[in-house]
Amino acid sequence: MTTSLRGELEAARLIFHFLLDSLSDEELMRHSHNPAWTNKHMLFHMALGFFLLPILSLLVLVFGRLPAIFSRIFARILNGATPAFNLINALGAYGGGRVVPRSAMYTIFDGVYALSMQIADHLPAEEWTRGMYYPTAWDALFTPYMTLEDVFRFPVRHFYTHVKQIAR
């Protein structure tokens, strides 16, 4: 992992902590600039990109070793399941923002972040260019083909896309 990528991930982690620290309980329950969710729902959704990073990185490491047709087919299947994904994504953020206490959000985020860094630290340099096809209908930040480095950058890009939706 490049020093730059590690810095981007750490900066997002620190901003996540800052947001959780700086919002009062009342502000967490206030509607965000996404009318369907409160600020707490939004923070949980922002964290989900990081929560998925270990799984997404393992998918790249597996599919990246197979002929490209396998990940193309997998991406098409996932694109076909977009309505189910969108429902799970929305309900996950809503449920997580509703039942996960602030203190647990720190713990979960930092635990998944640490696991992701452990995965990254044990990967040889050549693994970072390994890639696979992705379901572009799931998220506008997914590109048709993503390397492992792209996958590690995804939660940071996703995070910053939603930061402006936190309402003060």
Side-chain angles (χ1 to χ4, degrees):
M1 173 185 297
T2 65
T3 304
S4 169
L5 177 54
R6 185 175 294 279
E8 290 173 35
L9 289 158
E10 178 62 11
R13 187 186 76 78
L14 292 172
I15 292 170
F16 180 77
H17 276 259
F18 172 79
L19 289 169
L20 272 177
D21 289 342
S22 68
L23 293 168
S24 68
D25 290 340
E26 180 182 281
E27 288 172 315
L28 277 177
M29 302 318 291
R30 182 177 299 154
H31 279 284
S32 70
H33 294 299
N34 176 331
W37 292 340
T38 65
N39 284 328
K40 191 173 178 203
H41 296 139
M42 185 54 62
L43 282 167
F44 194 84
H45 175 76
M46 291 161 63
L48 281 174
F50 285 89
F51 298 169
L52 294 174
L53 185 53
I55 295 164
L56 294 177
S57 61
L58 292 176
L59 282 173
V60 171
L61 292 171
V62 170
F63 277 102
R65 286 176 165 72
L66 300 173
I69 189 69
F70 286 98
S71 67
R72 267 196 188 120
I73 292 169
F74 185 63
R76 284 186 196 140
I77 291 168
L78 293 179
N79 274 331
T82 297
F85 169 79
N86 288 339
L87 179 63
I88 291 166
N89 187 27
L91 292 176
Y94 183 78
R98 191 169 168 96
V99 301
V100 176
R102 180 195 307 252
S103 60
M105 287 177 73
Y106 290 107
T107 304
I108 295 167
F109 191 102
D110 287 348
V112 172
Y113 178 85
L115 175 60
S116 298
M117 293 304 98
Q118 286 178 345
I119 292 169
D121 288 342
H122 289 89
L123 292 173
E126 63 271 10
E127 294 292 342
W128 291 95
T129 58
R130 191 175 299 280
M132 67 178 280
Y133 288 90
Y134 259 77
T136 55
W138 279 27
D139 194 297
L141 298 174
F142 283 162
T143 59
Y145 188 86
M146 295 177 69
T147 66
L148 185 60
E149 183 172 346
D150 296 331
V151 168
F152 266 78
R153 288 190 191 284
F154 166 76
V156 174
R157 293 174 60 214
H158 176 259
F159 181 86
Y160 288 120
T161 297
H162 292 297
V163 163
K164 63 184 172 277
Q165 293 179 322
I166 300 295
R168 291 285 180 170

